Amino acid sequence: MKRGLALFLAALLTALTLTACGGSAGGESGSTAAPAPSMDYGGANWKSEAQEFGFEDAAPAEPEESLAGTADQGESRLTNAKMVYTASMEAETQDFDACSASLEKLVEDMGGYLEYASMGSYGDGSRNASYTIRVPAAKFKGFLASVGEIAHVVSQDQNADNISELYYDTESRLATQRTKMERLQALLAKAENMEDIITLESAIAETELLIEQLTGSLRHYDALVDFATIDVRLREVIRLSTVEEAPPTFASRLGHAFV
């Protein structure tokens, strides 16, 4: 009986010892994990390290990059826009010879050319001239301003026509026809039946004609886009036109009548 009691007490003591050791081990593991908060991985230390390696800066940079991309696309659209600039001007001068010579020199200095020019005279002996002038599109505004320094501009109209849709549609159709031509020629090289050969040759001839027409259209559009067109009408006068004065009032007319 005593021996059994002793064994029971020994077992109980062993169990208590193991429990205490387990608690101590748990405390030690807790003490081992405790320094983790002191490293502050979720606080300022982690943020400073993240900033040092650029992780935090990367997140807010995304909207800026998207905005920059949108701006670049907007600039690209503006840069690739096919604009046709035209203008018409009515001008007059008291020195016709000097003015017409200066106008032609201005065209030459700006890298343009006279597409059309004609001169004539009215019944009273005064002279006039008509010009169709082509200047680089980049110098369109500068040319109009310079004409105002050479002659007295009576009226002026400007127009900017965006032909981008028409231009790029024609360009796309041309690329399609060229691809079609390559396929037709490949089929013709393999054709053995005379009927097929005749049909393919007819299709190739039609495609060639369409390619020539589309190519000519693109060249015409390029000429309109690269060089602005300005129509100038110049006339010789004794006295330059001025802004029309307001009609006289009744009092002023009465005063003139007394005089």
Side-chain angles (χ1 to χ4, degrees):
M1 181 68 178
K2 291 181 179 180
R3 185 176 179 181
L5 181 61
L7 292 173
F8 173 77
L9 292 175
L12 180 61
L13 181 60
T14 302
L16 291 174
T17 303
L18 291 174
T19 302
C21 291
S24 175
E28 290 178 1
S29 63
S31 63
T32 303
S38 66
M39 295 177 70
D40 197 14
Y41 283 101
N45 290 341
W46 182 87
K47 289 183 178 180
S48 63
E49 292 179 4
Q51 289 176 355
E52 181 179 355
F53 289 96
F55 292 116
E56 280 200 344
D57 293 339
E62 293 180 357
E64 295 177 3
E65 290 177 358
S66 62
L67 290 175
T70 303
D72 291 342
Q73 291 176 0
E75 289 184 6
S76 177
R77 284 194 295 269
L78 290 175
T79 303
N80 295 329
K82 301 297 182 179
M83 303 297 299
V84 176
Y85 297 103
T86 57
S88 60
M89 306 177 72
E90 295 283 345
E92 57 188 21
T93 179
Q94 294 174 306
D95 190 347
F96 185 84
D97 293 329
C99 183
S100 58
S102 297
L103 182 61
E104 293 178 7
K105 186 176 185 306
L106 174 64
V107 174
E108 182 180 354
D109 291 343
M110 288 203 166
Y113 60 93
L114 292 176
E115 190 174 69
Y116 171 81
S118 69
M119 293 188 181
S121 61
Y122 298 110
D124 59 359
S126 61
R127 292 168 293 177
N128 63 84
S130 297
Y131 300 97
T132 298
I133 300 168
R134 305 295 302 277
V135 296
K139 299 182 180 179
F140 176 65
K141 295 288 187 181
F143 179 82
L144 297 181
S146 297
V147 173
E149 299 174 358
I150 294 173
H152 176 65
V153 177
V154 179
S155 64
Q156 176 178 306
D157 295 322
Q158 299 181 40
N159 184 55
D161 186 17
N162 190 341
I163 63 167
S164 299
E165 184 176 356
L166 179 61
Y167 184 94
Y168 291 117
D169 178 66
T170 304
E171 194 175 52
S172 176
R173 290 172 58 197
L174 177 60
T176 301
Q177 292 303 318
R178 285 174 174 168
T179 302
K180 178 181 176 182
M181 173 64 75
E182 293 176 359
R183 293 176 179 175
L184 288 173
Q185 290 174 341
L187 290 173
L188 181 61
K190 298 178 181 179
E192 298 179 355
N193 189 338
M194 183 59 66
E195 184 178 355
D196 293 341
I197 293 175
I198 294 174
T199 302
L200 288 169
E201 287 179 346
S202 176
I204 288 175
E206 292 178 359
T207 305
E208 284 179 344
L209 178 60
L210 188 54
I211 288 175
E212 290 177 2
Q213 293 174 346
L214 293 173
T215 303
S217 296
L218 284 179
R219 288 175 181 170
H220 176 65
Y221 297 150
D222 285 333
L224 293 177
V225 170
D226 294 340
F227 282 79
T229 305
I230 304 102
D231 291 322
V232 179
R233 303 290 180 267
L234 180 65
R235 66 175 183 269
E236 184 180 23
V237 296
I238 298 175
R239 185 178 62 182
L240 299 177
S241 301
T242 57
V243 179
E244 185 178 350
E245 297 179 356
T249 62
F250 175 75
S252 63
R253 286 188 283 114
L254 185 61
H256 286 297
F258 276 114
V259 172

